[in-house]
Amino acid sequence: MSRSTPLREVHEGLGATLTDFAGWQMPLRYGSESAEHNAVRTAAGLFDLSHMGEIHVTGPQAGEALDYALVGHLSVLEPGRARYTMIVTEDGGVLDDLIVYRLAPEDFMVVANASNYARVAQELTERAKPYDAQVEDRSDAYALVAIQGPNSTAILGKLTDADLDGLKYYAGLPGTVAGFEVMIARTGYTGEDGFELFARPEDAAGLWNALTEAGAELGLRPCGLSARDTLRLEAGMPLYGNELTAEMTPFDAGLGRVVKFDKPGDFVGKAALSGRPAPERRLVGLVARGRRVPRHGYPVTREGEVVGVVTSGAPSQTLGKPIAMAYVSADALDKGGLTVDIRGSQEPVDVVDLPFYRRSK
């Protein structure tokens, strides 16, 4: 049976189309997907992310435990800062991509994807055993609301005295928003500036409604999973289960920069990742020349031969063309002339660098 976030009744009141996602009833859209997408690019969008998992790692050796458990160097993270990282298997396959916040010298919060956080909590618990550190899944203690888009600072600024202008990207601070105690993080999954607000579940509806009212004259729209997916695709951000899987290493996904071989000591997956051969396939962006959309699982072909697979694809509202991410063999990329097999029709595509969209500063 699917779980509901603390905002289920709010979504139903807004007429949202709900769908099952990773065992949760989540809003897919509230009306027009394109209007929600464009609101985030031009004004602001409001998202319910309460299905995400929050796992705390605490204690004198919490940083060292995370250095061993994850591929990043988390013990050097300053309190109030965050870092994108991954947890991998001994073979180097990605179990999940994560954001880790250092809330205090001995308190880290690991934010994991909804489909994976129980596994992540289990792995962290096991890997932290040799250290003076405790692992606790506190996902039920949090609701998570995100406001994203160029007007997000102006909207949130109406409701808080927190220094939003001084809050750096991938940083967080405790604050009060509309009278509710939250952690304000300058993070997101849309390619736009914005904030993620970690709140108590009982405060979620009041927080959502206050943001909605504050953003009424600044173009704020509630946004569902469909818009979130097309926004992150334009921004070239990976989705676990599509671009990232346990069969892929961070290097396969072009994200080898998150693996810190130079940190002290060992970490899970180090031997496998340090001895890896060059990836046979590369994750690239594809832009269709026609109007047909390359979708997840469609074969990438060259002269009739399958040379890759589409991992994510959608019409791009911002570019006005169908776009996709795909794993394609390095040899085929060198030769060019790629097509995507869309229901038996070989549709020509151009290979482009990721991301497809980058906001102006």
Side-chain angles (χ1 to χ4, degrees), residues 125-296:
T125 300
E126 190 64 31
R127 297 178 188 189
K129 282 182 177 177
Y131 299 89
D132 187 2
Q134 295 75 46
V135 177
E136 183 182 1
D137 183 353
R138 298 187 195 171
S139 302
D140 291 342
Y142 289 98
L144 179 55
V145 173
I147 180 168
Q148 301 279 299
N151 290 350
S152 56
T153 303
I155 295 167
L156 188 58
K158 293 182 178 184
L159 302 173
T160 183
D161 293 330
D163 181 15
L164 300 181
D165 291 333
L167 186 62
K168 297 178 180 178
Y169 188 51
Y170 267 70
L173 80 172
T176 301
V177 175
F180 302 109
E181 293 183 5
V182 300
M183 187 184 83
I184 305 169
R186 198 165 212 144
T187 44
Y189 192 53
T190 64
E192 296 296 336
D193 190 20
F195 304 89
E196 295 181 324
L197 309 176
F198 295 83
R200 289 186 291 259
E202 59 267 28
D203 295 339
L207 180 63
W208 179 281
N209 292 334
L211 287 163
T212 298
E213 184 176 343
E217 297 179 357
L218 289 170
L220 180 69
R221 274 183 176 265
C223 298
L225 292 179
S226 288
R228 190 167 185 249
D229 191 50
T230 54
L231 289 160
R232 69 91 194 168
L233 175 58
E234 287 184 348
M237 295 177 169
L239 174 65
Y240 194 87
N242 290 38
E243 287 74 40
L244 299 173
T245 70
E247 285 70 51
M248 302 288 180
T249 73
F251 292 92
D252 292 326
L255 293 167
R257 64 182 182 276
V258 306
V259 182
K260 304 302 180 186
F261 290 115
D262 57 350
K263 61 181 175 179
D266 195 13
F267 64 88
V268 177
K270 181 177 182 179
L273 291 173
S274 60
R276 75 197 183 284
E280 296 179 0
R281 301 188 300 173
R282 284 172 42 208
L283 184 65
V284 297
L286 303 177
V287 176
R289 295 181 186 174
R291 305 307 301 171
R292 302 186 74 182
V293 181
R295 299 286 186 183
H296 172 74

Side-chain angles (χ1 to χ4, degrees), residues 322-343:
I323 61 172
M325 287 196 281
Y327 279 105
V328 181
S329 76
D331 182 58
L333 288 171
D334 290 339
K335 294 177 180 176
L338 298 183
T339 55
V340 175
D341 185 339
I342 301 181
R343 298 176 183 172

